[in-house]
Amino acid sequence: MKNKKFLFLSVISIMLLMLLAACGGKEDTSNTNEGSTKGDNKETTSDIKFLSMVTGGTQGTYYALGGTFAELISNETGIKTTAEVSQASAANVNALKAGDAEIAFVQTDIAYYAKNGLLMFEGEPMEDLVAIGALYPETVHLVTTAKSGIKSFEDLKGKKVSVGAPGSGTYANAEQLLEIHGLTMKDIQAQNLDFGESTDGLQTGQIDAAFITAGYPTAAVEALSAQADVVVVPVDSEKAKALIEKYPYYTEDVIPAGNYGLAEDVPTVSVLAMLAVKKDLPENVAYGIAKAIYGNTDKIGHAKGAFIKKETALNGIGIEVHPGAQKYFDE
């Protein structure tokens, strides 16, 4: 009887040991895909679970592209990314610096100023600012209406002109273009308005002209053209060349006829739009951001999507590229 009882207990013990061994051999994989990227066909994990991308005003090109970019990045990296309304380039650099955002739309000229502590960043360089890549030309529009009678920069004297917020990219562009035409902010009645406020002001006659730096066609000017005869004041080639000689991050540009109801091409100048991050962003995350944007340009519905190419993503940036993004372009 004792032998039978001993045998029974032995069998039970063996079965319990086998059960424990089986349970212990299972690997917990419940969190392996959270915050991951798939660069190099190898899934790597990151502690980052959320990315904030600062763009611009709701009627500008940054915001129009931001939603698409956020979705592409979310899908590629598995990190939830959202596009936020902002005051654009200079404010976006400050948001990166303060840790309020991880990705920023920035003009290349503003990125250069920030990196080197110039103009609106005088004495406060952001040394850890790096690029993901260049996007498309940011065309400087000097917009007015036919009823204003303004046809040249010289006609701006004494007029109410929107120049963007002090310290913004648009403000710097306005100041430099006025300078090259022999004018200063003191020669105009400068108004610090955003794009939507500018075009509303033009429509109602509260202002006479507005500087708007954005990829064409930009929503604010398109909306104005539905209500008024839009005029974009040209920058002739001689003035453009003088501007570029002094400020080499500019390039000559043209707003083609048909945009905003224009009957003819309008010569002007542009800088570049780019995406910037901080250097301490994990390499695999920066790689995933670059891959999401430049590997899916066919999914960008905005007209500026045609300019966004991995072959030209490193042209004209002027600051260091994040190693993760550089890795993607090298491949």
Side-chain angles (χ1 to χ4, degrees):
M1 185 72 178
K2 289 182 179 180
N3 288 338
K4 286 183 180 181
K5 186 176 181 179
F6 178 79
L7 181 60
F8 175 79
L9 291 173
S10 299
V11 170
I12 292 297
S13 299
I14 292 169
M15 289 176 67
L16 285 171
L17 288 170
M18 291 175 66
L19 182 62
L20 288 170
C23 291
K26 289 182 180 179
E27 184 179 357
D28 182 8
T29 60
S30 59
N31 292 318
T32 56
N33 291 327
E34 190 170 337
S36 66
T37 63
K38 301 179 178 65
D40 256 346
N41 295 319
K42 294 179 181 178
E43 191 172 81
T44 54
T45 59
S46 167
D47 291 336
I48 296 174
K49 296 177 176 62
F50 178 82
L51 293 169
S52 175
M53 173 188 291
V54 279
T55 61
T58 56
Q59 296 195 57
T61 307
Y62 288 173
Y63 185 76
L65 285 170
T68 300
F69 283 11
E71 183 178 359
L72 292 173
I73 294 168
S74 296
N75 291 341
E76 176 63 38
T77 66
I79 303 171
K80 182 175 175 57
T81 305
T82 59
E84 312 289 347
V85 176
S86 77
Q87 293 299 313
S89 291
N92 291 353
V93 169
N94 288 329
L96 285 181
K97 195 171 187 178
D100 295 331
E102 290 73 42
I103 313 169
F105 280 81
V106 186
Q107 290 176 200
T108 49
D109 54 335
I110 301 303
Y112 179 84
Y113 301 150
K115 185 82 172 183
N116 294 282
L118 303 173
L119 294 184
M120 67 284 289
F121 302 102
E122 183 71 40
E124 297 181 358
M126 185 177 174
E127 296 176 357
D128 58 348
L129 182 69
V130 292
I132 291 294
L135 298 171
Y136 59 86
E138 285 267 70
T139 305
V140 184
H141 304 59
L142 175 52
V143 182
T144 184
T145 60
K147 68 180 181 181
S148 75
I150 296 172
K151 296 180 180 178
S152 69
F153 276 77
E154 289 69 26
D155 293 335
L156 295 177
K157 288 183 179 180
K159 303 292 187 180
K160 292 181 179 178
V161 183
S162 173
V163 295
S168 68
T170 297
Y171 189 96
N173 300 149
E175 194 168 44
Q176 290 160 358
L177 273 166
L178 288 171
E179 175 196 347
I180 220 69
H181 286 88
L183 301 170
T184 70
M185 290 290 178
K186 294 180 180 179
D187 293 310
I188 63 173
Q189 297 182 54
Q191 310 292 308
N192 304 121
L193 307 176
D194 66 24
F195 294 171
E197 292 168 337
S198 294
T199 51
D200 287 347
L202 287 169
Q203 185 179 335
T204 60
Q206 292 179 316
I207 63 171
D208 302 298
F211 284 91
I212 293 177
T213 301
Y216 64 79
T218 190
V221 185
E222 284 192 308
L224 177 64
S225 69
Q227 306 294 327
D229 293 328
V230 167
V231 173
V232 179
V233 177
V235 179
D236 68 42
S237 184
E238 181 183 340
K239 294 295 186 185
K241 286 179 170 58
L243 182 73
I244 294 164
E245 185 175 354
K246 186 164 187 179
Y247 304 107
Y249 36 75
Y250 284 99
T251 185
E252 291 191 65
D253 200 358
V254 172
I255 301 174
N259 286 281
Y260 318 128
L262 299 173
E264 298 179 348
D265 293 354
V266 178
T268 183
V269 294
S270 64
V271 289
L272 284 172
M274 64 183 285
L275 286 181
V277 297
K278 291 173 71 173
K279 197 169 186 177
D280 63 0
L281 189 73
E283 184 173 316
N284 64 302
V285 176
Y287 178 100
I289 293 169
K291 184 178 179 182
I293 304 303
Y294 298 95
N296 293 284
T297 54
D298 59 320
K299 297 177 183 175
I300 301 172
H302 192 280
K304 284 302 169 188
F307 293 87
I308 302 171
K309 302 175 182 177
K310 58 186 175 184
E311 294 82 6
T312 57
L314 301 182
N315 294 350
I317 290 175
I319 66 171
E320 182 185 352
V321 179
H322 192 290
Q326 184 68 58
K327 179 181 177 182
Y328 171 74
F329 295 122
D330 288 345
E331 291 175 357

